[in-house]
Amino acid sequence: MRIYTVGGAVRDRLLGLPVTDIDRVVVGATEQQMLDLGYRPVGSDFPVFLAPTSGDEYALARTERKSGKGYGGFVFHASPDVTLEQDLIRRDLTINAMAQDDDGNITDPYNGQQDLQQRMLRHVSPAFAEDPLRVLRVARFAARYAPLGFRVADETLELMRQLSESGELLALTPERSWKEISRALMEQQPQVFIEVLRQCGALRVLLPEVEALFGVPQPEAHHPEIDSGVHTLAVLQQAALHGQPLSVRWACLVHDLGKGTTPPSEWPRHIAHEQRGLKLIKAVNERFKAPRECQELALLVGQYHTHSHRALELKASTLLELLQSFDVYRRPERFEAFIAACEMDARGRLGLEKRAYPQAEYLRGAARAAIGVAVKPLIERGLQGQALGEGLKAERLKALKVYKAASNQGL
């Protein structure tokens, strides 16, 4: 029985990066031997065990055979005669198909170290094309390692293209797809994830609403980059540069979907694209079963991002309606996330990445003014029920008028 560290832990050690998850494979052992040593079995698809003391995971070396569609369409075989090389060949990329023993010796049958040096994401074997989830995984790795200069090998991109055209991507469950998408959006260069999906044709299958943005022009005066798809990638890049959370990054990705439905005869203007985009954002939210926080923020940003950009011009009554829409009195953090997404939208424009966004502080001030209106005096006046709600709304409107007037005077 021999134990090896495999996969990402070996890869990241060789790259000099922090190692977070450690996967281990056991060669030459049976399930019964593992049980006799006190290991506890977990998982139902293939033999994985938890160590009796550390709780670390150990998987028996195994082979796999395609048996159906999708990520789960595989039959696994684990036995003592499965070699380390046979276990490694089923992995997705050469840089993930290396093993290291306790003495530090590297087993690298598929030239993963060479591809690390060449900064190449390359598939291990033709069996790569049997698992559609690998299209998303490779695109995610491209986003993760883009800062180090990694790119997807041409032959791997071709296999990803074949997978995208095969219909296999449609067999992925929303949960598996969302797991990869959400992880990719949190990488340093999430826009690379979208770029790679587009290069291999997967974006057209998984996110046709985003694919539709490319080639759609916007007014050059406001968008020097012109192309709506290029703008969306730039907004996503800004969200990563500013360390925004997942909900903001998701909203940044889908905020302009309505522009993809503008008739070409109306280009480069996109009148009412905010409203037209809501149906598309809702569809994407549901397709991937995005978390509720992501769904809500995406819809709100899609509907109101131009309100934020025009915040300094909005009437006090419109400001109040905006704050009410966000339930800013009970959920101020959601309004803050909205402001962040809108600022990323403003910065995601060619040459305007560092331009100030005074609308952000102006909106925060408006929220403080409205939230600061006290309820107690209205109750003491005997208002209750609907009358109390209307009275509170009137007082908040007054407060916003005062705030707007003071802001206009530079106070």
Side-chain angles (χ1 to χ4, degrees):
M1 185 171 106
R2 296 176 305 283
I3 298 175
Y4 299 89
T5 298
V6 293
V10 181
R11 175 198 68 222
D12 288 344
R13 280 174 187 164
L14 292 174
L15 286 172
L17 298 175
V19 173
T20 52
D21 296 321
I22 298 180
D23 296 322
R24 294 178 178 85
V25 68
V26 183
V27 178
T30 65
E31 293 185 49
Q32 189 58 50
Q33 283 177 297
M34 299 296 286
L35 294 172
D36 292 343
L37 290 170
Y39 287 78
R40 292 178 290 115
V42 293
S44 56
D45 293 333
F46 45 82
V48 178
F49 300 84
L50 298 182
T53 52
S54 66
D56 293 339
E57 283 193 2
Y58 291 76
L60 293 187
R62 65 185 188 272
T63 60
E64 61 187 33
R65 177 173 52 84
K66 184 74 169 174
S67 63
K69 279 188 172 292
Y71 170 75
F74 291 89
V75 173
F76 298 96
H77 169 69
S79 74
D81 60 356
V82 175
T83 66
L84 179 62
E85 288 74 14
Q86 287 175 318
D87 182 90
L88 293 175
I89 199 171
R90 67 180 175 76
R91 297 173 187 270
D92 50 7
L93 299 173
T94 60
I95 64 170
N96 295 330
M98 296 179 285
Q100 187 173 28
D101 64 22
D102 290 341
D103 295 325
N105 300 309
I106 302 287
T107 300
D108 180 17
Y110 308 109
N111 301 315
Q113 292 177 93
Q114 179 179 310
D115 282 338
L116 281 181
Q117 293 169 358
Q118 294 181 354
R119 298 301 195 247
M120 194 67 67
L121 301 174
R122 194 192 315 275
H123 64 282
V124 178
S125 77
F128 174 94
E130 295 179 350
D131 184 356
L133 189 67
R134 287 177 169 175
V135 172
L136 290 168
R137 277 176 55 82
V138 173
R140 173 167 63 82
F141 280 125
R144 175 181 296 180
Y145 295 112
L148 298 179
F150 276 80
R151 69 177 184 85
V152 181
D154 292 341
E155 60 269 31
T156 302
L157 203 60
E158 177 57 32
L159 283 182
M160 293 166 67
R161 190 174 293 113
Q162 292 174 18
L163 264 172
S164 300
E165 294 171 354
S166 71
E168 282 268 331
L169 291 175
L170 299 175
L172 292 174
T173 65
E175 293 80 7
R176 294 298 306 182
S177 296
W178 176 255
K179 184 177 180 180
E180 292 298 327
I181 291 169
S182 59
R183 291 178 70 183
L185 290 180
M186 293 308 295
E187 299 292 357
Q188 286 187 51
Q189 294 195 22
Q191 78 282 0
V192 172
F193 173 71
I194 303 299
E195 290 170 350
V196 171
L197 291 183
R198 186 162 182 255
Q199 287 170 16
C200 71
L203 192 64
R204 188 181 304 111
V205 178
L206 297 169
L207 283 164
E209 300 87 352
V210 176
E211 174 76 34
L213 295 173
F214 289 89
V216 175
Q218 303 167 104
E220 187 174 2
H222 301 294
H223 287 277
E225 71 286 348
I226 301 177
D227 190 287
S228 297
V230 172
H231 165 64
T232 294
L233 295 184
V235 175
L236 194 53
Q237 183 177 20
Q238 287 297 314
L241 287 172
H242 288 82
Q244 299 296 347
L246 176 61
S247 60
V248 171
R249 298 188 192 202
W250 179 244
C252 286
L253 176 63
V254 301
H255 78 285
D256 261 350
L257 294 186
K259 290 181 178 178
T261 66
T262 302
S265 59
E266 297 180 13
W267 290 352
R269 301 178 69 199
H270 296 278
I271 298 171
H273 76 276
E274 303 90 349
Q275 291 298 322
R276 283 187 284 111
L278 293 181
K279 180 174 68 175
L280 302 177
I281 295 172
K282 186 176 182 181
V284 173
N285 278 337
E286 293 177 351
R287 183 180 312 144
F288 298 110
K289 295 185 179 178
R292 182 178 176 182
E293 178 185 13
C294 291
Q295 293 200 30
E296 290 179 351
L297 185 64
L299 287 166
L300 288 166
V301 172
Q303 183 171 0
Y304 293 114
H305 62 275
T306 49
H307 276 58
S308 176
H309 301 330
R310 297 186 295 107
L312 304 179
E313 309 157 21
L314 297 180
K315 297 185 295 184
S317 57
T318 307
L319 269 176
L320 180 60
E321 289 173 9
L322 180 65
L323 296 173
Q324 303 275 81
S325 298
F326 280 84
D327 192 10
V328 73
Y329 315 106
R330 292 185 298 178
R331 300 186 62 181
E333 73 289 342
R334 186 169 63 175
F335 191 60
E336 184 59 38
F338 164 76
I339 293 172
C342 293
E343 183 169 355
M344 299 307 100
D345 183 27
R347 292 183 182 278
R349 298 180 294 165
L350 186 64
L352 304 176
E353 295 85 357
K354 296 185 178 179
R355 176 179 283 191
Y357 193 68
Q359 295 93 325
E361 194 51 46
Y362 180 81
L363 286 172
R364 291 188 185 104
R368 288 193 294 268
I371 292 171
V373 172
V375 182
K376 188 177 179 181
L378 300 178
I379 296 175
E380 291 174 346
R381 281 164 43 191
L383 296 180
Q384 55 183 327
Q386 184 178 347
L388 178 60
E390 292 175 353
L392 189 56
K393 186 175 180 180
E395 291 301 315
R396 285 169 175 164
L397 181 59
K398 287 180 185 177
L400 287 172
K401 287 179 177 178
V402 170
Y403 171 74
K404 183 172 178 63
S407 298
N408 288 341
Q409 295 173 17
L411 300 178

